[in-house]
Amino acid sequence: QVQLVESGGGSVQAGGSLRLSCAAFGYTYNIYNIYCMGWFRQAPGKEREGVATIYTGGDSTYYADSVKGRFTISHDNAKNTLYLQMNSLKPEDTAMYYCAARIGGGLCYPGVDFTYWGQGTQVTVSS
């Protein structure tokens, strides 16, 4: 099993920045087999939205149109940690943000099935 622990959420004013982190814990074998990680978010009354994904072995990334140019996803293999730098935050970015990881192989984008999920970290942006 792999446990994903998010941190870095909080409350900011519009235009501000936050950096989310997601640390992976568990059996080394399982962590080694993670090839794709991503950030998702869900606002009250709305469906879960894929924000960004990244191949952990390279630089290939995906971003939702709503965050392109404002958010940056990155991964530190040595620390088994995923990041999401969020700049120019807007009130519509308010949501619970979840980290997810996928093992095995194949495509890496929000539409694939992710194996492990974190508990989430709240981001609130006020106008």
Side-chain angles (χ1 to χ4, degrees):
Q1 268 292 6
V2 173
Q3 183 181 14
L4 302 176
V5 180
E6 302 100 333
S7 61
S11 298
V12 295
Q13 291 191 329
S17 298
L18 283 173
R19 187 194 194 203
L20 305 184
S21 299
C22 171
F25 300 94
Y27 291 113
T28 301
Y29 176 82
N30 289 341
I31 292 177
Y32 178 78
N33 279 285
I34 293 173
Y35 81 99
C36 171
M37 297 191 75
W39 289 99
F40 294 76
R41 66 185 182 186
Q42 188 166 20
K46 294 187 177 181
E47 292 187 355
R48 186 175 64 196
E49 174 189 17
V51 175
T53 58
I54 185 169
Y55 280 94
T56 58
D59 295 329
S60 182
T61 58
Y62 162 93
Y63 292 96
D65 288 341
S66 57
V67 306
K68 281 181 181 177
R70 300 188 298 122
F71 291 9
T72 301
I73 188 171
S74 61
H75 183 261
D76 186 330
N77 286 330
K79 296 181 179 180
N80 294 323
T81 301
L82 180 72
Y83 302 98
L84 185 68
Q85 178 66 44
M86 304 185 296
N87 299 327
S88 302
L89 283 162
K90 304 175 181 180
E92 50 263 44
D93 294 319
T94 295
M96 184 71 79
Y97 282 71
Y98 299 91
C99 168
R102 176 174 166 87
I103 62 174
L107 299 176
C108 180
Y109 74 103
V112 299
D113 291 330
F114 281 76
T115 316
Y116 305 109
W117 291 85
Q119 294 299 307
T121 184
Q122 178 68 37
V123 172
T124 302
V125 184
S126 59
S127 58

